[in-house]
Amino acid sequence: MDTKYKLHPNVQLGRNAYLGDYVIIGVPPRGYEAGELKTILGDHAIIRSHSVIYAGNKIGNHFQTGHGVMIRENNQIGDHVSIGTHSVIEHHVRLGDNVRIHTNVFIPEYSLLEDDAWVGPNVVFTNARYPLSKDVKSNLESPHLLPGAKIGANATLLPGIEIGRDALIGAGSVVTEDVPQNAIVVGNPARIVGDIAKLDAYALVDDL
């Protein structure tokens, strides 16, 4: 059985790409014609079935998705990035190298995840402080993860939150304030309960 996928005009596909059944790449966003925005995927991409990538994305090498991933337009995605099944990446998002996003994650527009950030399953980022308010779309403010930040499963990040380098957000936490470097936070609202540098698991990693 032949693989069924669709490449819109002006899609640049790198070497050794794998495209699963019903993958669509280069979908023009509203207000653009097919092919008007260039879409670039680097070498060794693995795009699994039913994933959709809009036009204008610039994606590095060794990128992979789970099944049914949605990636909107005009994002910048680094090398060795993985996005899990049924996750949604909205537009104008920046993902650094080695970012790992697990299953059923929502990343809204203008989010920034720097190198080595890790996002567990069912995590939700938010970017509208007052949904449906006047001029809400012109005042969006998304979370920013510094390098090595780790977000536990089912956590929610409020708009404009900055998660410090190597910080760890506990599962199910609701993060309402910026989190400093190396901090461990848990709860609703999330509060600092420790320092990741003092955890044996991460101390061992640092010693390698």
Side-chain angles (χ1 to χ4, degrees), residues 24-94:
I24 305 174
I25 301 178
V27 180
R30 184 167 52 188
Y32 289 86
E33 299 294 330
E36 189 174 348
L37 296 175
K38 186 173 185 177
T39 306
I40 300 173
L41 271 77
D43 297 338
H44 311 294
I46 299 174
I47 313 299
R48 293 184 172 87
S49 64
H50 298 87
S51 293
V52 177
I53 299 175
Y54 273 65
N57 282 287
K58 296 180 179 178
I59 300 174
N61 298 324
H62 299 281
F63 175 70
Q64 66 174 309
T65 75
H67 301 276
V69 169
M70 168 70 77
I71 302 175
R72 292 297 303 270
E73 66 273 9
N74 293 322
N75 300 305
Q76 296 184 22
I77 299 176
D79 295 332
H80 297 281
V81 171
S82 176
I83 300 177
T85 294
H86 296 148
S87 288
V88 175
I89 310 298
E90 286 287 354
H91 57 82
H92 295 91
V93 169
R94 286 189 289 160

Side-chain angles (χ1 to χ4, degrees), residues 155-158 161 169-179 184-193:
T156 299
L157 276 58
L158 268 59
I161 294 297
I169 310 303
S173 297
V174 178
V175 185
T176 62
E177 299 178 347
D178 290 350
V179 176
I184 302 169
V185 304
V186 299
N188 180 8
R191 293 289 182 263
I192 296 175
V193 297

Side-chain angles (χ1 to χ4, degrees), residues 76-79 81 94-99 112-116:
Q76 296 184 22
I77 299 176
D79 295 332
V81 171
R94 286 189 289 160
L95 306 178
D97 295 338
N98 305 308
V99 168
L112 171 58
L113 286 70
E114 297 193 42
D115 295 351
D116 303 303

Side-chain angles (χ1 to χ4, degrees), residues 144-155:
H144 174 191
L145 273 56
L146 272 70
K150 293 161 283 290
I151 314 299
N154 294 295

